[in-house]
Coordinates of all heavy atoms in Angstrom, one line a residue:
P350 N 99.7 68.1 92.5 CA 99.0 69.2 91.8 C 97.6 68.8 91.4 O 97.4 67.7 90.9 CB 99.9 69.5 90.6 CG 100.7 68.3 90.4 CD 100.9 67.7 91.7
A351 N 96.6 69.6 91.6 CA 95.2 69.4 91.4 C 94.7 70.0 90.1 O 93.5 69.9 89.7 CB 94.3 69.8 92.6
A352 N 95.6 70.7 89.4 CA 95.2 71.4 88.1 C 96.4 71.3 87.2 O 97.5 70.9 87.6 CB 94.8 72.8 88.4
I353 N 96.2 71.8 86.0 CA 97.3 71.8 85.0 C 98.5 72.5 85.6 O 99.6 72.0 85.4 CB 96.9 72.5 83.7 CG1 95.8 71.6 83.0 CG2 98.0 72.7 82.7 CD1 95.1 72.3 81.8
L354 N 98.3 73.6 86.2 CA 99.4 74.3 87.0 C 98.9 74.6 88.3 O 97.9 75.3 88.5 CB 99.9 75.6 86.3 CG 100.9 76.4 87.0 CD1 102.2 75.6 87.2 CD2 101.2 77.7 86.2
N355 N 99.6 74.1 89.4 CA 99.2 74.3 90.8 C 100.4 74.9 91.5 O 101.4 74.2 91.6 CB 98.7 73.0 91.4 CG 98.0 73.1 92.7 OD1 97.4 72.2 93.1 ND2 98.1 74.2 93.4
V356 N 100.3 76.1 91.9 CA 101.4 76.8 92.6 C 101.0 77.0 94.1 O 99.9 77.5 94.3 CB 101.7 78.2 92.0 CG1 102.8 78.9 92.7 CG2 102.0 78.0 90.5
A357 N 101.8 76.6 95.0 CA 101.5 76.6 96.4 C 102.7 77.2 97.2 O 103.9 77.0 96.8 CB 101.2 75.3 97.0
T358 N 102.4 78.0 98.2 CA 103.4 78.6 99.0 C 102.8 78.9 100.4 O 101.6 79.1 100.5 CB 104.0 79.9 98.4 OG1 105.0 80.4 99.2 CG2 102.9 81.0 98.2
S359 N 103.7 79.0 101.4 CA 103.2 79.4 102.7 C 103.5 80.9 102.9 O 103.1 81.5 103.9 CB 103.9 78.6 103.8 OG 105.3 78.8 103.7
N360 N 104.0 81.6 101.9 CA 104.3 83.0 102.0 C 103.1 83.8 101.3 O 102.3 83.2 100.6 CB 105.6 83.4 101.2 CG 106.8 82.7 101.8 OD1 106.9 82.6 103.0 ND2 107.7 82.2 101.0
D361 N 103.1 85.1 101.5 CA 102.0 85.9 100.9 C 102.0 85.9 99.4 O 101.0 85.9 98.7 CB 102.0 87.3 101.4 CG 101.7 87.4 102.9 OD1 101.0 86.5 103.4 OD2 102.0 88.4 103.5
E362 N 103.2 86.0 98.8 CA 103.4 86.1 97.4 C 103.5 84.7 96.8 O 104.4 84.0 97.1 CB 104.6 86.9 97.0 CG 104.7 87.2 95.6 CD 105.9 88.1 95.3 OE1 106.9 88.1 96.0 OE2 105.9 88.8 94.2
C363 N 102.5 84.4 95.9 CA 102.5 83.1 95.3 C 102.9 83.1 93.8 O 103.5 82.2 93.3 CB 101.1 82.6 95.3 SG 100.9 80.9 94.8
L364 N 102.7 84.2 93.1 CA 103.0 84.3 91.7 C 103.5 85.7 91.4 O 102.9 86.7 91.9 CB 101.8 84.0 90.9 CG 101.9 84.0 89.4 CD1 102.9 82.9 88.9 CD2 100.6 83.8 88.7
R365 N 104.6 85.9 90.7 CA 105.1 87.2 90.4 C 105.5 87.3 88.9 O 106.0 86.4 88.3 CB 106.4 87.4 91.2 CG 107.1 88.8 90.8 CD 108.4 89.0 91.5 NE 108.1 89.2 93.0 CZ 108.9 89.8 93.8 NH1 110.1 90.2 93.4 NH2 108.6 90.0 95.1
F366 N 105.0 88.4 88.3 CA 105.4 88.7 86.9 C 106.4 89.8 86.9 O 106.2 90.8 87.6 CB 104.2 89.2 86.1 CG 103.1 88.1 85.9 CD1 102.1 88.0 86.9 CD2 103.2 87.2 84.9 CE1 101.1 87.0 86.7 CE2 102.2 86.2 84.7 CZ 101.2 86.1 85.7
T367 N 107.5 89.6 86.2 CA 108.6 90.6 86.2 C 108.9 91.0 84.7 O 109.1 90.2 83.9 CB 109.9 90.0 86.8 OG1 109.6 89.6 88.1 CG2 111.0 91.0 86.8
D368 N 108.9 92.3 84.5 CA 109.3 92.9 83.2 C 110.8 93.1 83.3 O 111.2 94.1 83.9 CB 108.5 94.2 83.0 CG 108.8 94.8 81.6 OD1 109.7 94.3 80.9 OD2 108.1 95.7 81.2
T369 N 111.6 92.3 82.6 CA 113.0 92.4 82.7 C 113.6 93.5 81.8 O 114.8 93.8 81.8 CB 113.7 91.1 82.3 OG1 113.3 90.7 81.0 CG2 113.4 90.0 83.3
A370 N 112.7 94.2 81.0 CA 113.1 95.2 80.1 C 113.2 96.6 80.8 O 113.7 97.5 80.2 CB 112.1 95.4 78.9
T371 N 112.8 96.7 82.1 CA 112.8 98.0 82.8 C 113.1 97.8 84.3 O 112.8 96.7 84.8 CB 111.5 98.8 82.6 OG1 111.7 100.0 83.2 CG2 110.4 98.0 83.2
T372 N 113.7 98.8 84.9 CA 113.8 98.8 86.3 C 112.9 99.9 86.9 O 112.9 100.0 88.1 CB 115.3 99.1 86.7 OG1 115.7 100.4 86.2 CG2 116.2 98.0 86.3
N373 N 112.2 100.6 86.1 CA 111.3 101.6 86.5 C 109.8 101.1 86.6 O 109.3 100.6 85.6 CB 111.3 102.8 85.5 CG 110.5 104.0 86.0 OD1 109.6 103.9 86.8 ND2 110.8 105.1 85.4
A374 N 109.3 101.1 87.8 CA 107.9 100.6 88.0 C 106.9 101.3 87.1 O 105.9 100.7 86.8 CB 107.5 100.7 89.5
N375 N 107.1 102.5 86.7 CA 106.2 103.2 85.9 C 106.1 102.7 84.4 O 105.2 103.0 83.7 CB 106.5 104.7 85.8 CG 106.2 105.4 87.2 OD1 105.3 105.0 87.9 ND2 107.1 106.3 87.5
D376 N 107.2 101.9 84.0 CA 107.3 101.4 82.7 C 107.0 99.9 82.5 O 107.2 99.4 81.4 CB 108.7 101.7 82.1 CG 109.0 103.2 82.1 OD1 108.0 104.0 81.8 OD2 110.1 103.6 82.2
I377 N 106.5 99.3 83.5 CA 106.3 97.8 83.5 C 105.2 97.5 82.5 O 104.2 98.1 82.4 CB 105.9 97.3 84.9 CG1 107.1 97.4 85.8 CG2 105.3 95.9 84.8 CD1 106.7 97.1 87.3
R378 N 105.5 96.4 81.7 CA 104.5 95.8 80.8 C 104.6 94.3 81.1 O 105.4 93.6 80.6 CB 104.9 96.1 79.4 CG 104.6 97.5 79.0 CD 105.0 97.7 77.5 NE 104.4 96.7 76.6 CZ 103.3 96.9 75.8 NH1 102.8 98.1 75.8 NH2 102.9 95.9 75.1
A379 N 103.6 93.9 81.9 CA 103.5 92.4 82.3 C 102.1 92.1 82.4 O 101.4 92.8 83.2 CB 104.3 92.1 83.5
Y380 N 101.6 91.1 81.7 CA 100.2 90.8 81.8 C 99.9 89.4 81.4 O 100.7 88.7 80.8 CB 99.4 91.8 80.9 CG 99.8 91.9 79.5 CD1 99.2 91.2 78.5 CD2 100.8 92.8 79.1 CE1 99.6 91.3 77.2 CE2 101.2 92.9 77.8 CZ 100.6 92.1 76.8 OH 100.9 92.2 75.5

Side-chain angles (χ1 to χ4, degrees):
I353 293 170
L354 176 61
N355 194 165
V356 180
T358 182
S359 59
N360 299 320
D361 290 338
E362 185 176 26
C363 186
L364 184 62
R365 177 183 289 201
F366 294 93
T367 302
D368 183 351
T369 59
T371 183
T372 58
N373 184 341
N375 293 324
D376 296 329
I377 291 174
R378 289 180 49 105
Y380 53 95

